[in-house]
């Protein structure tokens, strides 16, 4: 998808909840393999396909927006607790620092339910490609997007949510409900 098409889809995705329109299909998320906070392989084809999921990009030593984003992700976790087909995925942009033990401790800080919310690290090139080329939320390093991304059961990126506004949690949950009603 070229930059102009992405901008149009992104704008539509941000407005879709307000307009009650169907969520657009922004990009296809390819299968990937990383490592979770417990040091286990995380294969998206096994863990995410067939699920509705919310993603973000963060790093554990961030003194800026990352703790706020993680607190909001926790609110999404709590609000979607009744939906057994919903997952949350936080990708590190600092895999050198964010090892599984570091991610475990970070997860405890935000009361992460590891059955529902995965904190991922691993191959820097895989993380860079996902951040920059798939989710359009930046690559590795401190320069990364501060939005949540919503992905459907077919691994299609469908919407973005600006985390500077804490009311985004309600819109995320409303759109999760919308995607859960869509047929495979």
């Amino acid at each position: 998808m070229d930059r102009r098409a992405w901008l149009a889809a992104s704008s539509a995705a941000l407005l879709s909840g307000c307009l009650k329109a169907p969520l657009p299909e922004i990009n296809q998320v390819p299968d990937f393999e990383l490592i979770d906070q417990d040091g286990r392989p995380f294969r998206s084809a096994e863990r995410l396909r067939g699920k509705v999921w919310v993603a973000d990009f963060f790093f554990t030593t961030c003194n800026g927006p990352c703790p706020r984003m993680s607190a909001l992700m926790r609110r999404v976790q709590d609000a979607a607790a009744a939906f057994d087909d919903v997952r949350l995925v936080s990708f590190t942009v600092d895999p050198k620092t964010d090892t599984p033990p570091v991610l475990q401790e970070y997860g405890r800080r935000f009361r992460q339910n590891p059955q529902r919310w995965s904190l991922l690290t691993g191959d820097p090139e895989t993380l860079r490609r996902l951040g920059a080329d798939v989710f359009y939320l930046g690559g590795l390093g401190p320069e990364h997007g501060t939005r949540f991304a919503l992905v459907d059961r077919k691994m299609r990126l469908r919407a973005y949510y600006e985390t500077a506004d804490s009311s985004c949690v309600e819109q995320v949950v409303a759109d999760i409900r919308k995607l859960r009603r869509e047929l495979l």
Side-chain angles (χ1 to χ4, degrees):
M1 173 181 295
D2 70 18
R3 187 82 171 149
R4 186 177 312 202
W6 174 79
L7 286 171
S10 178
S11 296
L14 286 168
L15 295 173
S16 66
C18 299
L19 301 176
K20 305 296 182 212
L23 297 173
E25 296 176 16
I26 301 169
N27 202 8
Q28 185 69 40
V29 179
D31 289 339
F32 59 87
E33 184 174 334
L34 291 165
I35 299 168
D36 73 11
Q37 69 280 342
D38 296 320
R40 295 179 307 206
F42 184 100
R43 295 175 187 89
S44 63
E46 296 168 5
R47 304 273 299 270
L48 299 174
R49 190 169 300 282
K51 310 278 190 224
V52 174
W53 52 288
V54 179
D56 72 343
F57 288 78
F58 80 110
F59 61 107
T60 62
T61 58
C62 176
N63 292 319
C66 297
R68 174 182 173 79
M69 291 168 52
S70 296
L72 291 173
M73 191 67 92
R74 160 109 190 293
R75 286 182 48 201
V76 173
Q77 172 185 264
D78 294 347
F83 307 143
D84 62 353
D85 59 344
V86 173
R87 298 294 181 268
L88 309 174
V89 180
S90 294
F91 298 92
T92 184
V93 298
D94 184 8
K96 188 174 188 177
T97 301
D98 293 342
T99 62
V102 170
L103 293 176
Q104 268 187 346
E105 180 57 35
Y106 188 84
R108 280 193 286 278
R109 178 176 161 199
F110 290 97
R111 293 185 287 203
Q112 165 221 20
N113 174 350
Q115 303 303 312
R116 305 289 300 276
W117 180 8
S118 298
L119 307 176
L120 302 181
T121 190
D123 176 56
E125 180 53 27
T126 299
L127 289 162
R128 187 213 58 78
R129 183 177 45 80
L130 286 167
D133 302 335
V134 176
F135 287 96
Y136 310 117
L137 293 173
L140 295 182
E143 298 299 320
H144 63 88
T146 58
R147 297 182 292 171
F148 288 162
L150 182 62
V151 181
D152 70 15
R153 298 172 194 273
K154 294 181 180 179
M155 303 290 284
R156 298 174 302 190
L157 175 58
R158 301 289 297 273
Y160 291 108
Y161 307 89
E162 188 53 60
T163 61
D165 178 4
S166 63
S167 70
C168 74
V169 171
E170 289 77 23
Q171 189 60 55
V172 170
V173 174
D175 287 344
I176 285 171
R177 284 188 177 100
K178 188 184 295 187
L179 289 184
R180 290 182 75 237
R181 288 189 296 267
E182 285 185 1
L183 298 176
L184 284 173

